[in-house]
Amino acid sequence: MNKEYEKVEKQILDIPKFSKKTSKENLKNIYDSLQLNSPGIIHVAGTNGKGSVCAFITSILTGCGKKVGTFTSPHLVSMTERIKINNNNIDEDSFVEAYEAVSEAVRENMDKGGEYPSFFEMLFLMAMHIFDKEKVEYIVLETGLGGRLDATNMFDEPLVSVITSISLDHMEILGDTIEAITAEKAGIIKTGVPVVFYGENNAVKDVIERRALQQNVKSYCVRKSDIISVKKCKNNIAFSLNNSYYDYGGLEVSFIADYQVINATLAIRTIEVINEIYSAGITVPDIRTGIKNAKWEARMEQVISGVFIDGAHNDDGIDEFVKVVADYECEGKKIIVFSAVQEKEYRKMIRRIATETGITEFVIPTIDNPRALKYTEICDIFSEYVQTEHIYGFDHVKDALKKAFELKEKEDVLFIAGSLYLAGEVKKVLPHINTSIRTEENDD
């Protein structure tokens, strides 16, 4: 990490101390002063699966020779993860240059009475600056929180809007019913711009289709019934899609979680719309290859043979995590490294993980975050469901991982879940431990 990047990263992390979300007009003034082009925007909102859908879309587009900029959040280890060109994180020098360019536009705006952008707004503006400089053909743009009032929701004519799975999360901001939250997410739907969405929940489907009708746009609903011939393996899932126009046999995602098949299907439908309306020339083999090659960190990601990291931290995410772990067949035992932050429904998460997954060993660290639960509190809750001799508590993630790998034998499976903050810490420390297992993996 170079010193200039360290300095910029610290300045961006300090933004929440003095600046909050600003008005759409303020953001647009800064954007306009940067004189940026915004070609081919694919705008993605939702509660769960946004990042994965962005990854699938990006993988398809880059695989057939398109130049693609992708903006997602949060990051796990480095802020550069949020801004990608053709699936690669931007380098630190580009990050610094973008920060300096946007900061100059911010100063000019403030001289005219404007406000300093929020943390997320700053990173979004930096991403758009980089995409313009790199002359990308497509921009895959993930919303932050919500949709209607999100910083990314400033473009009137994206190519297509995409809404992934919606569930109850961030209710203090977005509303306390599924209909209210869906309405916020559906705020990205623009007049004349088609929308692809996951509509398994009828309440969600009704809200989105009503909004689409109001905006005079065509909507494309993805449901579980679109997916046929699912075959689960230890490291991937093969599937086909029910489609009378295209031969979508032989599809494969390199994940073990069923929800990634849904996310892949949303991406495929999105590419179909882009092909249909904009004649992009993307073929079924392009789609098949892009889906198979897509990677997304901390979403039931296999980082080492038999070791999976998942960032599940809300009701739907935990539902899927519990289902995947319970169904996963292994010859040995199942182990988990688990931690959580205070505002999540951690008691419910712990109960389900302890009683519904078949996990027998529980390793609990305290995350390095001011909102983190202490390992002692988490261990106490786990002890209501499992014997204390199978629960191990630690002050630090690194020590917890060392213990987990001491417990893990070759036939065992280790899951790491409960918080994206935990996933990020694990990503930082994993290269510094467990070298023998990684060598075994590389030798296979």
Side-chain angles (χ1 to χ4, degrees):
M1 186 184 295
N2 68 51
K3 290 186 177 179
E4 279 302 307
Y5 174 79
E6 284 185 34
K7 179 181 173 183
V8 166
E9 187 178 54
K10 185 179 184 304
Q11 289 171 342
I12 294 173
L13 288 170
D14 281 341
I15 289 175
K17 297 176 184 177
F18 64 88
S19 180
K20 295 183 179 180
K21 183 179 177 68
T22 66
S23 68
K24 184 175 181 179
E25 180 184 7
N26 185 72
L27 188 66
K28 193 171 187 311
N29 287 340
I30 302 170
Y31 182 87
D32 288 346
S33 71
L34 288 165
Q35 297 182 323
L36 305 178
N37 293 310
S38 51
I41 289 175
I42 300 161
H43 199 193
V44 183
T47 306
N48 297 303
K50 298 193 300 292
S52 296
V53 170
C54 289
F56 282 120
I57 292 170
T58 299
S59 183
I60 294 168
L61 292 172
T62 57
C64 60
K66 313 295 185 183
K67 190 168 187 180
V68 185
T70 309
F71 176 67
T72 57
S73 60
H75 63 274
L76 298 177
V77 178
S78 168
M79 282 188 191
T80 60
E81 297 168 31
R82 294 172 178 248
I83 307 170
K84 291 181 169 64
I85 302 293
N86 286 358
N87 268 328
N88 297 310
N89 300 348
I90 59 160
D91 59 58
E92 292 178 353
D93 289 341
S94 296
F95 190 91
V96 171
E97 188 277 330
Y99 176 76
E100 291 171 348
V102 172
S103 294
E104 177 62 30
V106 167
R107 284 190 290 270
E108 292 175 4
N109 184 55
M110 292 180 73
D111 288 343
K112 299 173 185 175
E115 299 175 86
Y116 200 94
S118 70
F119 173 87
F120 183 81
E121 290 166 352
M122 173 62 79
L123 288 165
F124 163 63
L125 290 166
M126 289 168 59
M128 298 305 292
H129 169 79
I130 288 168
F131 298 155
D132 178 71
K133 187 177 179 182
E134 291 288 333
K135 295 180 170 54
V136 300
E137 298 170 75
Y138 292 91
I139 296 173
V140 183
L141 201 56
E142 179 191 358
T143 63
L145 179 61
R148 180 176 64 92
L149 300 175
D150 194 77
T152 62
N153 196 32
M154 61 177 292
F155 303 106
D156 294 329
E157 296 182 349
L159 295 182
V160 59
S161 303
V162 186
I163 302 175
T164 68
S165 171
I166 295 177
S167 63
L168 297 173
D169 198 15
H170 298 292
M171 292 180 285
E172 72 283 2
I173 298 171
L174 301 178
D176 59 2
T177 66
I178 199 72
E179 290 85 357
I181 292 173
T182 302
E184 288 298 313
K185 308 290 186 182
I188 71 165
I189 299 174
K190 308 292 195 309
T191 301
V193 178
V195 57
V196 178
F197 71 98
Y198 183 52
E200 194 68 24
N201 182 311
N202 286 330
V204 168
K205 184 173 182 288
D206 290 346
V207 171
I208 292 174
E209 288 184 337
R210 186 162 59 249
R211 169 73 178 177
L213 188 62
Q214 291 168 351
Q215 296 297 106
N216 191 31
V217 304
K218 190 169 183 179
S219 61
Y220 302 80
C221 179
V222 168
R223 305 191 81 150
K224 288 181 180 178
S225 57
D226 295 338
I227 300 161
I228 54 176
S229 304
V230 176
K231 181 182 179 183
K232 298 183 71 171
C233 304
K234 287 192 73 173
N235 299 316
N236 56 60
I237 304 175
F239 68 103
S240 300
L241 294 184
N242 183 16
N243 189 304
S244 57
Y245 298 102
Y246 301 98
D247 177 14
Y248 281 134
L251 293 163
E252 178 186 317
V253 293
S254 300
F255 301 92
I256 63 167
D258 291 340
Y259 60 78
Q260 293 293 19
V261 176
I262 294 290
N263 292 331
T265 303
L266 281 164
I268 291 168
R269 295 294 187 235
T270 302
I271 296 297
E272 285 178 1
V273 170
I274 292 171
N275 263 343
E276 178 186 328
I277 298 177
Y278 306 104
S279 302
I282 303 166
T283 67
V284 171
D286 291 332
I287 290 171
R288 195 177 284 122
T289 301
I291 291 298
K292 182 178 180 178
N293 291 341
K295 307 293 181 188
W296 189 238
E297 291 191 289
R299 301 311 189 276
M300 204 54 79
E301 175 196 11
Q302 185 167 210
V303 288
I304 300 170
S305 181
V307 180
F308 297 89
I309 299 180
D310 192 66
H313 58 276
N314 57 33
D315 280 357
D316 276 12
I318 291 297
D319 282 347
E320 295 293 344
F321 175 77
V322 166
K323 181 175 181 293
V324 170
V325 176
D327 290 346
Y328 192 84
E329 296 181 4
C330 69
E331 296 175 3
K333 61 185 179 292
K334 297 175 183 177
I335 306 164
I336 191 169
V337 175
F338 175 89
S339 199
V341 292
Q342 295 168 2
E343 67 267 24
K344 299 300 179 181
E345 294 188 64
Y346 55 86
R347 287 185 173 274
K348 182 178 179 181
M349 293 162 67
I350 291 168
R351 174 181 58 77
R352 297 199 62 196
I353 288 169
T355 62
E356 299 179 29
T357 59
I359 292 171
T360 58
E361 305 291 333
F362 305 85
V363 185
I364 316 300
T366 302
I367 307 170
D368 183 17
N369 186 285
R371 293 149 52 202
L373 288 166
K374 297 294 184 184
Y375 78 83
T376 50
E377 184 175 355
I378 298 174
C379 288
D380 285 345
I381 301 170
F382 268 111
S383 69
E384 297 173 13
Y385 305 100
V386 299
Q387 294 178 341
T388 54
E389 57 262 38
H390 295 286
I391 305 170
Y392 311 87
F394 296 90
D395 283 315
H396 303 291
V397 167
K398 187 173 184 178
D399 294 331
L401 277 179
K402 286 179 178 178
K403 180 62 180 180
F405 285 114
E406 286 174 15
L407 292 169
K408 185 184 182 303
E409 298 178 2
K410 188 173 182 181
E411 66 272 19
D412 299 339
V413 180
L414 170 61
F415 298 96
I416 299 160
S419 170
L420 281 171
Y421 297 111
L422 173 63
E425 283 196 59
V426 168
K427 289 275 188 175
K428 285 181 182 177
V429 302
L430 192 60
H432 306 293
I433 61 174
N434 183 38
T435 54
S436 62
I437 292 181
R438 282 211 305 282
T439 301
E440 275 185 25
E441 159 78 354
N442 292 335
D443 288 344
D444 286 345

